[in-house]
């Protein structure tokens, strides 16, 4: 429900109870990912959706029933082979599981502050027990950077152990399920937590103040990245040329290193090197390929790429580090203009982030990539 926090937080401040139906897992051709929520409040207002429309009506009815009657948390499942799912409209071949929980702002003291943090773009995670002992279903905790925990799952030791793992998910900006087993010694029965993470936007660092960078900055911003364009040449690196990005005048490798030292990069960070100038590229890539960022790509011809690899090997980079480099950058779209080239780069970034192949869907590749199963965490969108 953190994805709709800006609309939901005002209702909570007014003390309006609501039921949230949240996707916990998907398989096959399901349109929404874990963490997607449909909310129905006591005033009859509906927020969000869980299926792009095909089962939302049935989920809406279930939420209204919970508001009017039994408030105990429970799960719902819709699959292609289920008669009720077919009647509801889930005919795309996928399976979707949801968890319904009644929220009362007067009895959930953590709720308003968690939603306010999410609405304000601050890092926060909400973890709810969606499978496990009946007495624990629906219990939730809120975790913030540094591991501070509000609320309880029912046991202080369990809160501490779960909080440490949820902090890791929050740092990575991941939403999905997390399994806690009896072997962990802090729970008597296996439990599954749904971890909803809200993190500041991921970074996209574009090096090289060229026309391609302006087009990529626009696309990166559209995709939800916080985009920075960096170049050592003040004449070219101006806010007027890059209205969709922060603009920094600095040597690229120095700027990247300073951002890492300040703790402003994470496992979602995208680095796009568009300078294709060795005096900028080589020191920058030497630093970037040794960082735990999500993606490093560099522009240039295949000849430039081979020469660059030779120089990077001479600089001491290992084969494993060099394997992380996406060069020539982008997917084969036949791109000619800066805008088309930016699209090919953005397409590769998205494919890399979600495990896509980049192949045409008409060739039979999966339309929707399944989220990891219980015990793993899926990337948030």
């Amino acid at each position: 429900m953190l994805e709709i926090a800006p609309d939901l937080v005002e209702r909570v401040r007014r003390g309006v109870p609501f039921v949230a139906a949240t996707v916990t897992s998907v398989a096959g051709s399901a349109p929404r990912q874990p963490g997607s929520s449909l909310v129905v409040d006591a005033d009859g207002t509906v927020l969000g959706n869980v299926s792009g429309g095909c089962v939302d009506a049935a989920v809406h009815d279930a939420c209204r029933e919970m508001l009017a009657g039994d408030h105990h948390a429970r799960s719902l499942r819709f699959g292609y082979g289920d008669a009720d799912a077919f009647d509801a409209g889930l005919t795309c071949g996928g399976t979707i599981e949801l968890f319904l929980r009644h929220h009362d702002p007067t009895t959930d003291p953590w709720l308003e502050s968690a939603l306010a943090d999410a609405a304000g773009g601050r890092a926060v995670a909400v973890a709810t027990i969606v499978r496990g002992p009946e007495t624990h279903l629906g219990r939730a905790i809120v975790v913030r950077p540094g591991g501070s925990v509000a609320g309880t799952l029912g046991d202080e030791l369990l809160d501490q152990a779960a909080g440490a793992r949820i902090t890791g998910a929050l740092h990575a900006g991941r939403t999905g399920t997390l399994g806690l087993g009896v072997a962990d010694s802090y729970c008597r029965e296996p439990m599954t937590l749904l971890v909803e993470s809200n993190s500041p936007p991921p970074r996209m660092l574009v090096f090289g103040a060229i026309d391609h960078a302006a087009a990529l900055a626009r696309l990166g911003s559209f995709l939800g990245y916080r985009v920075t364009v960096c170049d050592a040449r003040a004449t070219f690196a101006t806010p007027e040329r890059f209205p969709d990005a922060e603009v920094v005048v600095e040597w690229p490798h120095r700027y990247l290193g300073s951002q890492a030292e300040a703790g402003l990069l994470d496992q979602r960070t995208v680095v796009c090197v568009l300078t294709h100038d060795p005096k900028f590229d080589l020191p920058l890539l030497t630093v970037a390929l040794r960082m735990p960022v999500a993606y490093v790509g560099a522009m240039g011809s295949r000849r430039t790429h081979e020469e660059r690899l030779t120089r990077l090997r001479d600089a001491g980079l290992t084969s494993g580090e060099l394997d992380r480099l996406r060069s020539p950058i982008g997917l084969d779209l036949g791109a000619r203009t800066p805008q088309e080239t930016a699209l090919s780069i953005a397409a590769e970034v998205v494919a890399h982030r979600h495990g896509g192949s980049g192949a045409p869907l008409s060739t039979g590749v999966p339309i929707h990539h399944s989220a990891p199963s219980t015990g793993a965490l899926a990337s948030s969108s």
Side-chain angles (χ1 to χ4, degrees):
M1 62 187 171
L2 295 185
E3 67 172 1
I4 53 176
D7 294 319
L8 193 54
V9 67
E10 289 304 321
R11 290 168 172 79
V12 170
R13 286 171 177 161
R14 290 190 284 112
V16 179
F18 64 92
V19 171
T22 304
V23 177
T24 58
S25 66
V26 298
S29 187
R32 300 301 309 276
Q33 293 301 307
S36 304
S37 294
L38 184 149
V39 165
V40 181
D41 70 21
D43 294 336
T45 303
V46 181
L47 301 171
N49 70 87
V50 293
S51 69
C54 54
V55 301
D56 287 345
V59 175
H60 172 260
D61 289 344
C63 290
R64 290 185 62 188
E65 290 175 6
M66 181 175 283
L67 273 171
D70 186 356
H71 293 171
H72 285 91
R74 65 187 181 94
S75 297
L76 284 180
R77 177 186 178 278
F78 295 99
Y80 180 76
D82 300 332
D84 57 347
F86 190 88
D87 291 340
L90 190 65
T91 59
C92 53
T95 299
I96 180 172
E97 294 187 6
L98 306 103
F99 188 75
L100 273 65
R101 186 186 190 278
H102 183 273
H103 293 269
D104 186 339
T106 63
T107 57
D108 291 336
W110 51 267
L111 186 59
E112 180 180 337
S113 63
L115 291 172
D117 281 348
R122 295 179 290 275
V124 64
V126 176
T128 306
I129 298 176
V130 296
R131 296 190 192 94
E134 187 71 25
T135 54
H136 284 63
L137 285 179
R139 293 188 179 184
I141 58 173
V142 177
V143 178
R144 293 180 170 84
S148 66
V149 176
T152 182
L153 298 176
D155 176 85
E156 183 178 354
L157 182 60
L158 178 60
D159 293 342
Q160 293 175 353
R165 297 179 65 181
I166 295 164
T167 299
L170 176 60
H171 178 70
R174 296 183 179 275
T175 288
T177 53
L178 175 65
L180 300 176
V182 293
D184 296 317
S185 75
Y186 41 74
C187 55
R188 296 178 181 178
E189 297 181 44
M191 296 182 184
T192 300
L193 300 178
L194 172 66
V195 181
E196 299 176 71
S197 294
N198 184 84
S199 298
R203 303 283 305 274
M204 176 181 282
L205 307 181
V206 182
F207 294 96
I210 63 176
D211 289 347
H212 296 78
L216 182 57
R218 182 168 300 169
L219 272 178
S221 178
F222 176 75
L223 292 173
Y225 286 91
R226 173 190 161 196
V227 183
T228 302
V229 173
C230 175
D231 198 303
R233 303 167 298 175
T235 301
F236 299 100
T238 65
E240 293 76 19
R241 294 189 67 212
F242 303 97
D244 300 292
E246 303 169 299
V247 179
V248 174
V249 179
E250 176 61 281
W251 277 82
H253 70 285
R254 292 176 183 168
Y255 176 71
L256 184 64
S258 69
Q259 293 296 286
E261 290 176 4
L264 299 176
L265 308 181
D266 59 29
Q267 298 170 5
R268 305 171 297 157
T269 300
V270 169
V271 175
C272 298
V273 182
L274 309 185
T275 47
H276 50 79
D277 183 333
K279 69 176 177 290
F280 295 122
D281 291 0
L282 294 176
L284 173 59
L285 289 172
T286 300
V287 173
L289 292 171
R290 287 171 170 162
M291 289 182 172
V293 295
Y295 173 96
V296 180
M299 181 176 280
S301 66
R302 298 192 187 281
R303 178 178 177 180
T304 298
H305 174 63
E306 292 302 324
E307 292 175 351
R308 184 187 287 142
L309 286 179
T310 298
R311 294 185 182 186
L312 290 171
R313 288 190 191 97
D314 292 343
L317 270 74
T318 67
S319 296
E321 291 166 340
L322 293 176
D323 287 344
R324 299 181 58 222
L325 177 60
R326 299 293 182 119
S327 178
I329 195 171
L331 299 182
D332 176 23
L333 302 184
R336 295 179 180 273
T337 67
Q339 292 77 15
E340 291 173 346
T341 301
L343 179 61
S344 78
I345 297 170
E348 184 177 49
V349 168
V350 171
H352 181 72
R353 180 177 181 178
H354 298 298
S357 67
L361 294 176
S362 60
T363 62
V365 297
I367 297 175
H368 299 287
H369 289 259
S370 297
S373 59
T374 298
L377 287 163
S379 296
S380 63
S381 54

